[in-house]
Amino acid sequence: MTDAIRYTEGMKIFEGKTALVVGGSGGIGREISLALAETGASLVIHGSNKSEKSDSLVREITQKCGNSPRFLAQNLLDSPFSALESSPLLSEAKKCDILCVCFGPFVQKPLHETSRSDWEKVALYDYALPGLLVSAALPNMITQKFGRILLFGGTGTAHRTEFSTNAAYAGAKSGVNVLVASVAAEYAEYGITCNAILPGFVETEYLSQAQKAALSEKMPRGELISTSSLAKTACTLLSNADINGAVLRFDQGWSVLQNQE
């Protein structure tokens, strides 16, 4: 029996491993990229485009950790989904030891206003994309007898329920839970773990001040979740081989309170 890797901040527990962070240049993904860099992992950070924002992240990681990450620019929504088959992103997924998929477009509309393009977007990029990346990563992970996969579900999608303004998005994100359980059930014997975080409302640069204020009021503690708190939890899930198939509500109890109403 091998000892499980335990995450302790600052320890180089993933030295010699390659981590691919999809959607890793901003928001939650950016903080996870920073946290993984501190574990010693060689990073491939995906973002929609190369910019001062992505360059700044690469510089920050290089200065702090002395390990310069590679940045992969690919606008996933700008080309047909079929183009992923021969894309650099899929090639990187086939080689990685650690896969984090933080990318996923949000659609908030009642069903009678949800268009064909809305359905296509959530089905392809909130469910099929993480599925495709997982499928691409698994063969190498099986060969190496090591793999760590972290996906992101939607707020309040820990179990089947109704949604009044984002049913299409929530349906796709609920499918991620099936993917997580399936990977855990079939590939644990190869040293592969797959878990998901279902975050509540997280404070990122993508929210306006008005949105931050409105969403803070909905949270049990009256404050948004910090990206640094989420990233620490992500590293714990990735590092501990005993945690497998977990779908973690990370929302201060918000989803539990909703179910009581």
Side-chain angles (χ1 to χ4, degrees):
M1 182 176 68
T2 58
D3 292 333
I5 300 171
R6 305 293 178 181
Y7 172 66
T8 302
E9 198 168 356
M11 287 188 65
K12 305 294 184 182
I13 56 174
F14 287 136
E15 201 158 18
K17 304 295 185 185
T18 299
L20 171 62
V21 185
V22 182
S25 63
I28 291 170
R30 183 183 191 279
E31 202 69 30
I32 288 176
S33 295
L34 287 166
L36 275 173
E38 293 184 355
T39 69
S42 297
L43 282 182
V44 179
I45 301 172
H46 159 267
S48 294
N49 52 71
K50 192 175 185 298
S51 63
E52 174 51 34
K53 182 179 174 180
S54 63
D55 291 345
S56 173
L57 176 59
V58 170
R59 286 195 301 270
E60 184 176 352
I61 290 174
T62 303
Q63 291 167 3
K64 284 185 176 179
C65 306
N67 186 8
S68 182
R70 288 187 290 131
F71 183 76
L72 173 60
Q74 184 175 342
N75 191 327
L76 296 172
L77 300 177
D78 225 19
S79 56
F81 190 79
S82 59
L84 280 167
E85 191 65 36
S86 57
S87 70
L89 181 61
L90 203 65
S91 296
E92 292 296 342
K94 292 176 180 179
K95 299 181 288 186
C96 71
D97 304 295
I98 301 164
L99 172 65
C100 299
V101 184
C102 308
F103 176 86
F106 180 61
V107 172
Q108 185 165 24
K109 293 181 180 179
L111 281 171
H112 69 279
E113 295 179 5
T114 304
S115 67
R116 180 205 58 80
S117 61
D118 294 328
W119 280 107
E120 183 176 64
K121 182 186 294 185
V122 297
L124 291 178
Y125 295 99
D126 287 305
Y127 182 57
L129 174 66
L132 177 62
L133 293 169
V134 167
S135 293
L138 281 171
N140 178 62
M141 292 179 176
I142 291 169
T143 300
Q144 299 297 325
K145 290 187 167 48
F146 177 91
R148 297 289 181 267
I149 300 170
L150 179 66
L151 307 177
F152 280 83
T155 306
T157 60
H159 57 84
R160 190 182 68 189
T161 188
E162 67 282 351
F163 290 84
S164 59
T165 62
N166 60 341
Y169 171 82
K173 285 297 190 180
S174 296
V176 171
N177 301 344
V178 177
L179 179 59
V180 166
S182 301
V183 174
E186 293 297 319
Y187 301 98
E189 64 182 291
Y190 299 104
I192 298 169
T193 69
C194 184
N195 299 293
I197 295 176
L198 278 53
F201 304 119
V202 181
E203 184 169 6
T204 72
E205 70 273 23
Y206 302 121
L207 297 177
S208 67
Q209 289 303 121
Q211 288 173 321
K212 289 178 183 180
L215 293 175
S216 293
E217 290 182 2
K218 296 184 178 184
M219 295 297 285
R221 295 205 313 263
E223 59 185 32
L224 298 177
I225 295 167
S226 72
T227 53
S228 60
S229 173
L230 198 155
K232 288 177 183 178
T233 301
C235 283
T236 297
L237 291 176
L238 288 167
S239 63
N240 193 332
D242 294 329
I243 306 174
N244 197 9
V247 175
L248 178 64
R249 301 188 204 194
F250 197 78
D251 59 12
Q252 299 175 9
W254 179 86
S255 57
V256 179
L257 292 170
Q258 296 304 299
N259 293 334
Q260 291 177 341
E261 294 179 357

